[in-house]
Amino acid sequence: MISKHYFRLSLVAALPLIVACSQTPDYSRPAVGTRDSFSQQSTAKDAIQADKIAQNWWTAFGSAELNGLIDRALTNNLDLRAAVARVEQARADAKIAGADLLPSLDGGLGAGREFENPASGSSTRDTRLTASLAVAYEVDLFGGNKAGRDSARASLTGRELEREAANLMVMADVARTYFNLVNAYERLKIADDNIRNARELLDIVEQRLEAGAASRLDIAQQKSALATTQATRANVARLIETNENALAVLLGEPPKNIKVTGRSLSKLKVPTIATGQPSRLLDRRPDIRAAEQDLIAANADIGVARAALFPSLTLGLDASAVRLGLGDPTATALSIASALAVPIFQGGRLEGGVEKATARQTELAEIYRSTVLVSFREVEDALASVQAASARENALAVAAREATEAYNLSRELYNAGSVDFQTLLDVQRDELAAKDAYSQSRNERLAAAVDLFRALGGGWGG
């Protein structure tokens, strides 16, 4: 007859072979079709190569004020603080999952005093002191505990990458909001200049009316033009307040708590960026890497679910010591036990767990592919915006310059009586629109550069 001790020794000797039976599928990155290159590639000598984008990429715009704002946002933004807390939660989960691979150790101490006074005979008093130690270890027969640890570690990495993606989003949002705010101040100055010109022109028309060289219709038309310009200014002033409030929230501040000194975008640099190969985006963008880590975690969860279908083995050791009195000898006991649990019937619960984990992995594989395709689209969209914004700014610069020249000429001709007031009014309106559009085109070009930086992953994967 085989003894219990022989059985235990045989089981321990076989453990290295049993533990090797991992149930986790081999992981491979989902295939996503990629092109050899993006539709547009910059050939400029000073272009920033995608693989060499600096971590503080926003400094390429040459604004010390913007640099300071982004530094503040990275420290105080509430969404980023929440992302850090999610990372800490995932780190704790990884620690908990890793604990299943180690033995558990529990100890106990106890003391008691007994008093006995029988109806006959002498009374007795006993002091009892006890100490116990219990060690338990679940043998990871089919790799379920290791798969759980691997899943938790991948989830931790995913949360860290999501934090980096959130950082990148906040950087881009601060830059764009700052540019919008400065542009609003720039447009406010244009509106103020046009209001001043409209008032001067109104004075001229009133003087000509007194001299009999103008009509009351001319006065009404110019007053209407002045009121329209004032209404435009009010709308721009509203944009200043809304962008200040948005910037304050990005910096973790209450609304109405942020002011900037920038008043013009003309001195800011517009960096030129070379995109590199589309395939490099898979390693450059933190959101893509985060999606892949979630997929890796789901792959490990399949191993956890599959391992639950198989037997589990727990080894235990219990030791205790008892002393009945201070002068009495100590009694000790030591026991070693093993328990093998085999799932026989669970009503489909364990099989359902495998099916759910497999479906979850399939879902996350599709999410990963979608994330990659969206990232390609964002790069292409940003490239199109960069090209269009550059062409638009160049064209509107000419339009604004010529509109100002046309207004000055028409004003002189109106004073000389060579053109009617309606012509002057149309030219005045065109000048306001051209200057305002040119101002916004510079903002659009800067925003397109920000979008391209973000679409390429910023300087995270460089």
Side-chain angles (χ1 to χ4, degrees):
M1 181 177 179
I2 300 176
S3 68
K4 294 181 179 179
H5 297 291
Y6 178 79
F7 173 76
R8 288 170 184 154
L9 291 175
S10 300
L11 183 59
V12 172
L15 285 180
L17 297 176
I18 298 175
V19 173
C21 301
S22 172
Q23 299 300 310
T24 302
D26 293 334
Y27 172 77
S28 60
R29 175 182 284 181
V32 182
T34 61
R35 299 171 55 184
D36 294 334
S37 63
F38 289 108
S39 60
Q40 302 174 36
Q41 289 289 342
S42 175
T43 57
K45 294 182 179 179
D46 61 344
I48 301 173
Q49 300 299 317
D51 290 341
K52 296 182 180 179
I53 295 176
Q55 289 189 344
N56 57 343
W57 51 267
W58 56 88
T59 59
F61 294 100
S63 170
E65 186 171 47
L66 174 61
N67 299 345
L69 290 171
I70 290 184
D71 288 342
R72 289 170 61 185
L74 293 178
T75 301
N76 300 322
N77 181 272
L78 300 182
D79 290 334
L80 296 187
R81 289 186 176 183
V84 171
R86 287 192 292 272
V87 170
E88 294 304 316
Q89 294 174 52
R91 182 170 288 113
D93 287 338
K95 183 183 295 185
I96 294 170
D100 290 338
L101 291 169
L102 302 174
S104 63
L105 179 63
D106 296 304
L109 293 173
R113 186 171 177 82
E114 296 181 359
F115 175 74
E116 183 178 353
N117 186 13
S120 62
S122 60
S123 62
T124 60
R125 290 181 175 85
D126 292 328
T127 299
R128 178 181 294 270
L129 302 175
T130 61
S132 64
L133 181 67
V135 180
Y137 175 62
E138 181 183 352
V139 182
D140 196 19
L141 293 176
F142 297 96
N145 292 341
K146 181 179 181 298
R149 181 201 63 185
D150 293 344
S151 174
R153 286 181 175 177
S155 294
L156 169 59
T157 303
R159 301 300 75 72
E160 290 173 339
L161 290 165
E162 284 182 353
R163 179 192 59 198
E164 295 301 324
N167 283 346
L168 180 58
M169 184 64 70
V170 168
M171 296 170 193
D173 287 346
V174 171
R176 291 195 59 148
T177 304
Y178 174 73
F179 295 149
N180 288 340
L181 180 54
V182 174
N183 180 236
Y185 278 115
E186 202 169 38
R187 294 177 63 196
L188 189 69
K189 183 179 183 303
I190 293 172
D192 287 338
D193 290 343
N194 279 278
I195 288 173
R196 184 179 61 254
N197 290 339
R199 283 173 175 163
E200 291 177 356
L201 186 56
L202 180 59
D203 291 340
I204 293 174
V205 176
E206 288 175 342
Q207 293 173 9
R208 288 174 61 85
L209 177 63
E210 293 178 359
S215 67
R216 292 190 178 277
L217 177 60
D218 296 339
I219 296 291
Q221 288 178 317
Q222 184 55 24
K223 285 183 177 180
S224 176
L226 174 59
T228 299
T229 305
Q230 289 171 331
T232 299
R233 186 193 187 282
N235 188 53
V236 173
R238 179 188 60 82
L239 290 177
I240 290 176
E241 290 193 9
T242 57
N243 281 288
E244 284 179 343
N245 294 338
L247 188 59
V249 172
L250 287 170
L251 270 59
E253 298 279 351
K256 303 288 185 181
N257 211 38
I258 296 294
K259 298 293 181 182
V260 302
T261 60
R263 292 295 183 270
S264 175
L265 299 177
S266 60
K267 295 182 180 180
L268 297 184
K269 302 175 183 177
V270 182
T272 304
I273 310 159
T275 57
Q277 296 180 338
S279 60
R280 287 285 295 122
L281 215 59
L282 274 61
D283 296 316
R284 285 194 49 82
R285 283 189 44 149
D287 58 336
I288 295 179
R289 294 289 300 276
E292 184 176 18
Q293 288 299 316
D294 287 341
L295 179 58
I296 293 172
N299 194 70
D301 287 338
I302 295 177
V304 176
R306 286 178 176 177
L309 296 170
F310 296 93
S312 62
L313 174 65
T314 303
L315 304 178
L317 182 149
D318 292 306
S320 62
V322 180
R323 174 174 289 185
L324 298 178
L326 296 179
D328 297 330
T330 301
T332 61
L334 179 66
S335 64
I336 301 175
S338 61
L340 185 67
V342 180
I344 296 176
F345 178 73
Q346 298 289 330
R349 179 176 61 86
L350 299 180
E351 292 81 358
V354 175
E355 294 169 0
K356 180 179 179 180
T358 303
R360 175 64 175 163
Q361 190 239 27
T362 302
E363 176 196 7
L364 290 176
E366 300 306 324
I367 290 175
Y368 172 80
R369 292 188 179 95
S370 175
T371 303
V372 173
L373 293 179
V374 168
S375 71
F376 291 159
R377 188 207 70 194
E378 288 177 347
V379 174
E380 292 288 1
D381 289 349
L383 286 170
S385 295
V386 166
Q387 185 179 45
S390 179
R392 176 177 165 82
E393 183 186 24
N394 292 334
L396 288 174
V398 175
R401 183 173 62 251
E402 294 301 325
T404 299
E405 179 67 17
Y407 173 72
N408 293 333
L409 289 174
S410 62
R411 185 167 172 172
E412 292 176 1
L413 292 173
Y414 176 74
N415 290 335
S418 300
V419 298
D420 59 16
F421 182 72
Q422 184 61 51
T423 300
L424 177 59
L425 195 62
D426 292 340
V427 173
Q428 180 189 27
R429 188 181 299 112
D430 291 343
E431 183 196 26
L432 172 60
K435 284 184 175 180
D436 193 63
Y438 173 63
S439 173
Q440 293 183 69
S441 70
R442 183 71 172 181
N443 184 32
E444 292 168 1
R445 192 176 173 194
L446 289 165
V450 171
D451 288 344
L452 185 54
F453 270 129
R454 187 190 63 79
L456 292 173
W460 177 81

